[in-house]
Amino acid sequence: MKTKKTDKPAVHIVQKELLQPYNPITVNLIGAGGTGGQVLTALARMNHALITLGHAGLFVRVFDDDTVDTANLGRQLFTTAELGQYKSVALINRINRFFGTNWKAETCLYDKKSLSDTELASAIITVSCVDTVQARYDIAEILKNLAKNYGGRNHVKYWMDFGNSRSSGQVILSTLEKIKQPASDLYRPVESLPLVTDEFKELLLSSEQADNTPSCSLAEALTKQDLFINSALANCGASLLWQLFREGILFNRGFFLNLKDFRTQPLKVA
């Protein structure tokens, strides 16, 4: 009697140039609000740890044209002394002073109108923490164009998107091009991870009905988003990125998080 062969587990294997780079890995972080501020702090901690372990570390640019107002205090990582400042500038200045980095703030939107410099737009890893569906589609269009037409050192490879509602959210890792995979007897290497804007189009369109008008106070902001949803997503998403750098192999390409029920559902590489 023949036994049925079991399928090899699907994995995505990271290229060596990200694991043992000669220069810091460039990361473009889009959005410096509730989630973006938390992700930036996680990236700074990750950079410090990677350098300690002999890695070249990260170089991060933060894109956001918004300024700090009173409704941001408490839920986002800003103080009264930073009221009126650009969010990206306030966060980057603090990170640079605390960790001794030389990361950059860009006080503009990440869109075709603002980004005429392809060197600035392109990064090996793009992390988006934006509020609107249209912003995600704009980012996807820019990244796909860069993947086809830009061949510089910071050629785009990965896009990690953070999105959330009041008490739930998701983090999805995508590739902008096929990542060459080694042969494996144990696993089934997957060279492409689908874009969030392609795979979860219906989910994005349904979430577009959410109210994105600015809040006038912290109390009003908390009726729209739970106090800890941003930090919970940021830490789990950063763990996925940390696994990419430290283990070089991914069995999961993201997750769905429900903070109300304390449930996390991984999204497997397939």
Side-chain angles (χ1 to χ4, degrees), residues 40-102:
L40 180 63
T41 302
L43 288 173
R45 293 173 60 197
M46 192 183 306
N47 174 66
H48 184 81
L50 285 171
I51 292 173
T52 301
L53 293 168
H55 190 277
L58 309 174
F59 172 73
V60 178
R61 295 182 292 229
V62 180
F63 293 80
D64 201 312
D65 70 337
D66 197 12
T67 56
V68 181
D69 61 34
T70 53
N72 302 139
L73 306 180
R75 194 176 66 81
Q76 299 182 19
L77 299 178
F78 300 107
T79 70
T80 53
E82 294 165 331
L83 287 172
Q85 292 186 30
Y86 282 106
K87 290 181 178 180
S88 56
V89 172
L91 289 175
I92 282 293
N93 283 345
R94 195 186 315 152
I95 289 293
N96 284 343
R97 287 196 299 267
F98 192 93
F99 288 94
T101 49
N102 188 29

Side-chain angles (χ1 to χ4, degrees), residues 33-35 66 75-76 87 129-136 162 164 207-208 210 212 225 230:
T35 302
D66 197 12
R75 194 176 66 81
Q76 299 182 19
K87 290 181 178 180
C129 306
V130 295
D131 295 329
T132 67
V133 175
Q134 186 57 51
R136 286 183 174 84
F162 289 74
N164 69 280
S207 68
E208 198 169 20
N212 289 314
Q225 290 190 20
N230 301 119

Side-chain angles (χ1 to χ4, degrees), residues 79-144:
T79 70
T80 53
E82 294 165 331
L83 287 172
Q85 292 186 30
Y86 282 106
K87 290 181 178 180
S88 56
V89 172
L91 289 175
I92 282 293
N93 283 345
R94 195 186 315 152
I95 289 293
N96 284 343
R97 287 196 299 267
F98 192 93
F99 288 94
T101 49
N102 188 29
W103 293 357
K104 303 298 182 183
E106 303 296 337
T107 57
C108 63
L109 291 173
Y110 189 91
D111 60 13
K112 289 187 290 185
K113 184 178 180 180
S114 304
L115 293 173
S116 57
D117 183 358
T118 54
E119 183 67 35
L120 181 64
S122 188
I124 295 174
I125 299 174
T126 300
V127 180
S128 56
C129 306
V130 295
D131 295 329
T132 67
V133 175
Q134 186 57 51
R136 286 183 174 84
Y137 279 99
D138 290 345
I139 292 167
E141 186 179 351
I142 292 170
L143 293 179
K144 285 189 286 188

Side-chain angles (χ1 to χ4, degrees), residues 34-39 42 45 75 77 160 162-171 225-240 255-260 262-264:
T35 302
Q38 299 282 352
V39 171
R45 293 173 60 197
R75 194 176 66 81
L77 299 178
M160 177 177 278
F162 289 74
N164 69 280
S165 56
R166 188 177 187 278
S167 58
S168 62
Q170 72 284 332
V171 175
Q225 290 190 20
D226 185 82
L227 182 60
F228 294 106
I229 184 62
N230 301 119
S231 54
L233 272 178
N235 283 316
C236 290
S239 293
L240 178 60
F255 60 88
F256 295 89
L257 172 68
N258 188 320
L259 203 57
K260 188 174 182 179
F262 300 104
R263 288 185 292 110
T264 304

